[in-house]
Amino acid sequence: MKKRAVGYCRISTLMQVDNTSLKDQEDKIKMYCKLHDIEIDKMFIDKAVSGKSADRPQYDKMINFVKENDIDMIIVYKNDRIHRSLYNLLAMIYELQEYEVALVSVTELFDTSNPQGMLFLQMLGSFAEFERAIINERTRNGRIARLNENKWVGGKPSLGYKVNKNGKFEIEEEEAKIVKDIFKLRSKGVSLAKIGTKYGFSKQKVDYILKNKNYIGVFEYDGKKEKNKINFNIEPIVSKYMWDKVNTTKK
């Protein structure tokens, strides 16, 4: 009787350099099944998501599918296509052992239905975690280097600012007018709620704008990973006098 399997493919924007497109992964999985006389029940494909992300709808559907059907194995092109974290990878395998479902990697030639495959998997998983740690370290160092050059490191800049092609802050004039008006209204005693109503902002957003030191030319960054507390100067939108005045106003 043929063994039954499902295939899982994943690619993220971070992994384009791997030369492991979704079609490549799917073709390799199908070829493996043909060579080993394995029947593929279904292919599950997640596009442009992270290996560490919990938001992988096809992955979740696959796990439920193999639990509810008589499936012998999950087949992947490479183990880091399904999990980049060794901890998460092993947790999944141990969970699926209860259903007698093995994990098979086409390129790494292991099968977790046997002890040798489990040992090899742990070794490969350790290398995958090490590789990810190196990538994170390079990303961290690159972010710090950009900050030390007074450059933006990503995300959306504060209202009133834009980032030019060189990664430097510039004032966005139309938005800056809104920021200046918010400070002006608040300095005259207008409530956060009324200011917010004028521009379609919540009270919390107005309060955040008023407390944002970017507007007096101070950019502060203390990343969760970096803990570097980098400060640098950008072009101010309001005066320090105005910023101090509205921030001593009673709510």
Side-chain angles (χ1 to χ4, degrees):
M1 184 177 179
K2 283 188 176 183
K3 288 188 176 182
R4 296 173 59 194
V6 297
Y8 180 75
C9 306
R10 178 184 66 83
I11 192 167
S12 72
T13 54
L14 297 176
M15 300 301 296
Q16 299 296 333
V17 295
D18 278 5
N19 193 28
T20 54
S21 69
L22 293 172
K23 186 177 185 307
D24 288 337
Q25 293 178 48
E26 189 172 355
D27 288 346
K28 296 275 194 314
I29 290 171
K30 287 180 178 179
M31 186 180 297
Y32 178 91
C33 290
K34 185 176 181 179
L35 288 172
H36 294 83
D37 198 26
I38 298 170
E39 180 180 346
I40 301 180
D41 275 42
K42 199 168 183 179
M43 294 292 298
F44 294 87
I45 299 173
D46 275 316
K47 298 180 181 179
V49 289
S50 168
K52 68 177 182 180
S53 172
D55 184 22
R56 293 191 287 164
Q58 290 301 306
Y59 171 84
D60 295 333
K61 288 180 181 178
M62 176 190 67
I63 295 298
N64 291 330
F65 183 86
V66 299
K67 288 180 178 179
E68 295 169 0
N69 294 274
D70 187 19
I71 301 298
D72 296 297
M73 63 188 72
I74 296 171
I75 303 178
V76 295
Y77 170 78
K78 194 177 179 183
N79 84 84
D80 66 3
R81 297 300 80 215
I82 196 162
H83 279 297
R84 291 185 67 79
S85 161
L86 175 59
Y87 175 84
N88 292 335
L89 185 65
L90 293 178
M92 180 202 73
I93 290 169
Y94 291 139
E95 177 186 6
L96 293 179
Q97 280 183 335
E98 179 182 345
Y99 300 88
E100 298 183 346
V101 177
L103 175 65
V104 175
S105 168
V106 172
T107 57
E108 291 150 336
L109 301 177
F110 68 77
D111 180 343
T112 61
S113 63
N114 59 65
Q116 293 88 349
M118 283 295 292
L119 176 61
F120 190 40
L121 172 64
Q122 292 183 48
M123 292 170 60
L124 290 171
S126 295
F127 280 110
E129 282 204 327
F130 175 72
E131 178 187 18
R132 185 167 185 81
I134 293 297
I135 292 172
N136 285 340
E137 179 69 15
R138 288 173 180 167
T139 302
R140 172 184 174 276
N141 290 341
R143 188 179 292 116
I144 291 174
R146 286 182 63 82
L147 288 165
N148 285 330
E149 295 174 2
N150 293 8
K151 291 183 178 180
W152 184 235
V153 293
K156 187 176 181 180
S158 299
L159 180 74
Y161 289 100
K162 60 183 178 181
V163 179
N164 64 26
K165 63 181 181 180
N166 296 318
K168 297 282 188 175
F169 283 91
E170 291 182 354
I171 290 179
E172 207 292 320
E173 296 297 340
E174 291 304 313
E175 292 183 357
K177 290 178 183 178
I178 296 174
V179 173
K180 289 176 181 178
D181 190 46
I182 288 173
F183 274 86
K184 182 179 178 180
L185 291 171
R186 187 57 177 157
S187 71
K188 292 180 177 180
V190 181
S191 70
L192 299 178
K194 286 185 178 180
I195 297 172
T197 300
K198 179 176 180 179
Y199 290 107
F201 297 158
S202 66
K203 288 173 57 177
Q204 291 77 13
K205 182 169 183 177
V206 173
D207 189 50
Y208 173 79
I209 289 171
L210 294 170
K211 291 178 178 177
N212 191 339
K213 290 185 179 180
N214 285 184
Y215 300 126
I216 53 173
V218 178
F219 181 86
E220 300 175 327
Y221 185 87
D222 186 19
K224 291 181 179 180
K225 293 182 179 179
E226 294 88 350
K227 298 297 181 185
N228 48 316
K229 295 183 179 180
I230 290 177
N231 295 344
F232 59 81
N233 296 326
I234 60 177
E235 189 175 355
I237 291 177
V238 299
S239 68
K240 180 70 162 54
Y241 171 80
M242 176 66 81
W243 192 90
D244 288 337
K245 183 178 180 180
V246 300
N247 279 288
T248 56
T249 301
K250 291 184 179 180
K251 303 292 187 287

